[in-house]
Amino acid sequence: MTTQLTDRLGRKIEYLRLSVTDRCDLRCFYCLPKGFRDFEPPDEWLDFDELERVIAAFARLGTHRVRLTGGEPLVRRNLPELAARLARLPGIDDLSLSTNATRMARHASELRAAGVSRINVSLDSLQAERFREITGGGKLEKVINGLRAARDAGFAPIKINMVVMKGVNDDEVEAMVEFCIEHGFTLRFIETMPVGDTGRRASDHFLDLQEVKARLARRFELLPGMMPGGGPARYVQVAGSDLRIGFITPMSQHFCDTCNRVRLAADGTLYMCLGQSHSFALRPLLRGGASDAELEAAIRQAIDMKPERHEFIDKPGQVIRFMSMTGG
Ligand code: SAM
């Protein structure tokens, strides 16, 4: 019988974001420092058996949605094999992936066949030179090819995630809307968060998404919109098109009271909040012979620590780990 995981504030935890590696092939300046290489050694990562065991425990506790993330999840070898194992677990009915899509062209059909149904692709610019600058050397063409392969493989919906930054890419929001209308993607704009030194430095470019919405409303007719999925984005629909635009506003309008998620880092550390340091190391239990009952009890104990909310505004210096470590 499932006993739904619920935190002290009555929030149901039904969604786990699973970082399968802290490594990434890009160096987006607001996420990872240029030239950064100080990653966890792979033997610190949970292996596929360990990951399957933890996710099965979460599923028994009522978590039914899992998102594979990172770092860049496609950097982890044999990711489709892991995806297939997780998709088969009783209780998991939604397996999705967040990716930068640089390696998607190679893996799209395999991931789709493995049971990944939905993908989110990070894309902050449609201009090759600017994309290269933002990502510390990334090639836009690879992402575009990856998106094409994802669409051909049947992923639906495909959501484009754009971190909108003043003076960096805010002049491209209209172009991104047109691009997503043309290709049938969903678009989400995200506010810059002070996660790690990189995120804090990028806060100079912070832009309140209410301003972006007001600007878009001058050019497009925006209707109230909905999107299934239970995430924090607030949606509008662009009249005369199928495009839905989501606004993810952790800074200007936080959504902590409806938070339904926790994050498992590649090394088995469970983080209760992106913007706080409350964590619980599950790896010692997994490698120390804990029973399934002990594992479930530990997860419950960890969820009890889930803080009420992040404090990005009041205490912006609080989170020193990079986003790629926690799993964005
Ligand atoms: N590599 C995958 C990807 O590109 O989607 C998954 C991990 S990445 C860390 C997840 C998301 O976090 C990306 O959309 C990225 O833009 C976002 N992100 C990273 N640092 C951020 C920050 N300081 N503020 C807002 N979003 C951030």
Side-chain angles (χ1 to χ4, degrees):
M1 200 193 80
T2 300
T3 15
Q4 174 66 55
L5 265 186
T6 306
D7 75 0
R8 286 172 304 138
L9 299 167
R11 295 173 295 192
K12 286 185 185 167
I13 307 304
E14 21 187 44
Y15 182 20
L16 182 76
R17 295 178 76 107
L18 170 59
S19 171
V20 293
T21 172
D22 58 339
R23 292 172 193 234
C24 191
D25 53 349
L26 298 181
R27 292 289 179 277
C28 299
F29 74 90
Y30 54 79
C31 187
L32 275 178
K34 212 175 193 165
F36 182 82
R37 300 207 61 80
D38 192 16
F39 295 111
E40 297 244 17
D43 58 350
E44 310 244 314
W45 301 344
L46 298 190
D47 64 26
F48 286 3
D49 290 340
E50 290 166 333
L51 287 171
E52 188 175 355
R53 197 165 164 228
V54 180
I55 304 302
F58 268 96
R60 288 193 298 277
L61 295 170
T63 297
H64 58 104
R65 303 173 55 202
V66 174
R67 174 171 293 277
L68 304 171
T69 180
E72 172 47 41
L74 292 179
V75 165
R76 177 95 188 232
R77 211 172 296 152
N78 300 328
L79 187 73
E81 180 198 328
L82 175 68
R85 288 171 68 167
L86 300 184
R88 274 198 298 269
L89 287 173
I92 299 299
D93 58 21
D94 180 27
L95 183 65
S96 57
L97 171 77
S98 283
T99 176
N100 60 32
T102 56
R103 299 170 185 221
M104 201 62 189
R106 229 178 307 154
H107 298 293
S109 35
E110 234 186 322
L111 284 165
R112 185 76 190 91
V116 176
S117 52
R118 307 184 290 121
I119 63 165
N120 290 357
V121 173
S122 305
L123 180 58
D124 295 333
S125 175
L126 293 167
Q127 300 173 16
E129 179 51 28
R130 183 181 280 177
F131 181 84
R132 201 183 61 75
E133 271 169 34
I134 294 175
T135 60
K139 292 197 168 65
L140 178 64
E141 196 190 332
K142 282 192 184 174
V143 179
I144 301 297
N145 290 341
L147 279 168
R148 193 172 299 127
R151 205 182 40 191
D152 292 349
F155 286 103
I158 295 174
K159 296 180 185 164
I160 303 292
N161 285 343
M162 175 185 189
V163 179
V164 187
M165 294 165 283
K166 201 188 297 183
V168 175
N169 61 354
D170 58 328
D171 56 342
E172 281 192 71
V173 293
E174 287 88 353
M176 201 61 92
V177 168
E178 303 282 7
F179 175 77
C180 290
I181 290 177
E182 183 188 340
H183 295 283
F185 302 140
T186 298
L187 175 59
R188 284 121 54 90
F189 295 122
I190 304 177
E191 287 177 346
T192 319
M193 289 176 271
V195 181
D197 279 350
T198 41
R200 261 185 297 285
R201 275 197 297 272
S203 296
D204 294 348
H205 300 289
F206 171 77
L207 185 59
D208 183 329
L209 287 181
Q210 318 308 320
E211 284 179 38
V212 172
K213 196 172 177 177
R215 203 172 96 194
L216 288 175
R218 289 198 282 275
R219 163 102 172 257
F220 304 95
E221 187 186 350
L222 305 179
L223 309 169
M226 284 285 288
M227 189 82 194
R234 294 181 177 85
Y235 282 93
V236 296
Q237 171 132 16
V238 175
S241 80
D242 292 331
L243 178 66
R244 276 175 282 203
I245 306 177
F247 296 84
I248 303 183
T249 56
M251 306 299 287
S252 64
Q253 287 183 307
H254 76 77
F255 32 79
C256 304
D257 50 340
T258 56
C259 185
N260 61 355
R261 64 199 56 196
V262 287
R263 293 173 158 85
L264 186 65
D267 66 357
T269 306
L270 191 62
Y271 287 97
M272 263 46 77
C273 171
L274 188 59
Q276 298 276 9
S277 47
H278 306 68
S279 67
F280 194 107
L282 292 176
R283 193 180 57 194
L285 280 97
L286 292 163
R287 297 197 178 164
S291 67
D292 281 351
E294 284 164 339
L295 184 57
E296 287 174 26
I299 292 172
R300 284 191 184 286
Q301 196 185 330
I303 298 299
D304 269 348
M305 297 191 303
K306 188 168 167 66
E308 186 179 346
R309 61 182 189 87
H310 69 66
E311 293 169 295
F312 285 143
I313 308 259
D314 353 359
K315 297 181 187 165
Q318 192 145 266
V319 180
I320 52 166
R321 59 186 188 272
F322 301 122
M323 185 81 129
S324 64
M325 236 187 103
T326 324

